[in-house]
């Protein structure tokens, strides 16, 4: 598995991944947040690929020196293989390169179901936080 930065040519594949991985409402919110984050900083949108297929995506952002993981999506056929854990480690590294040392999870209703996963990551200090506004509508 390879983790890399999102490229424009990934857009269609990522949209398809989000459709099969997330609820319809979550997918719509995530697509809007993806567009916003890409306009700010595409280095914080990660792609997991295996054999030229995109199997995971993660959207991170930094706001006021705080690092946030907005969304993780892993294709249902590849869950339980460490994809999310590997992407989170890479995101953590990218945050550290920018002097952001604590990862926070955007604690919306869609991420709440992933709380046990995040709590299982003893090697990463993670807090759930409620954003004042969804990432898709936050101002720069």
């Amino acid at each position: 598995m390879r983790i890399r930065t999102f490229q424009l040519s990934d857009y269609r594949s990522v949209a398809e991944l989000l459709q099969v991985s997330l609820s319809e409402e979550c997918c719509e919110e995530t697509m809007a947040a993806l567009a916003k984050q890409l306009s700010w900083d595409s280095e914080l949108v990660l792609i997991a690929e295996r054999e030229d297929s995109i199997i995971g995506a993660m959207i991170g952002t930094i706001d006021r020196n705080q690092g946030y993981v907005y969304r993780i999506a892993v294709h249902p056929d590849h869950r339980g293989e460490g994809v999310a854990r590997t992407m989170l480690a890479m995101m953590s590294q990218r945050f550290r390169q920018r002097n952001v040392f604590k990862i926070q999870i955007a604690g919306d209703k869609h991420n709440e179901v992933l709380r046990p996963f995040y709590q299982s990551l003893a090697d990463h200090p993670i807090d759930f936080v409620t954003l004042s506004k969804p990432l898709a509508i936050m101002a720069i």
Side-chain angles (χ1 to χ4, degrees), residues 10-25:
D10 296 327
Y11 189 83
R12 175 174 277 168
S13 296
V14 169
E16 291 170 0
L17 169 73
L18 296 178
Q19 288 174 342
V20 300
S21 303
L22 307 173
S23 70
E24 185 176 338
E25 176 188 15

Side-chain angles (χ1 to χ4, degrees), residues 18 25-40 59-61 63 68-71 106 108 110-111 131-140:
L18 296 178
E25 176 188 15
C26 184
C27 181
E28 288 176 18
E29 290 175 15
T30 303
M31 289 301 295
L34 173 64
K36 189 72 134 178
Q37 185 59 35
L38 290 173
S39 73
W40 291 342
I59 302 171
T61 195
D63 183 37
Y68 296 92
V69 172
Y70 176 74
R71 190 76 67 228
D108 64 13
H110 307 297
N111 279 335
L131 299 177
S132 59
K133 296 181 248 180
L135 177 63
I137 60 172
M138 288 177 70
I140 297 178

Side-chain angles (χ1 to χ4, degrees), residues 87-100:
M87 286 191 300
L88 191 59
M90 177 64 77
M91 186 66 70
S92 179
Q93 181 181 10
R94 291 195 179 186
F95 285 156
R96 284 191 309 273
Q97 290 170 345
R98 296 168 185 218
N99 294 318
V100 174

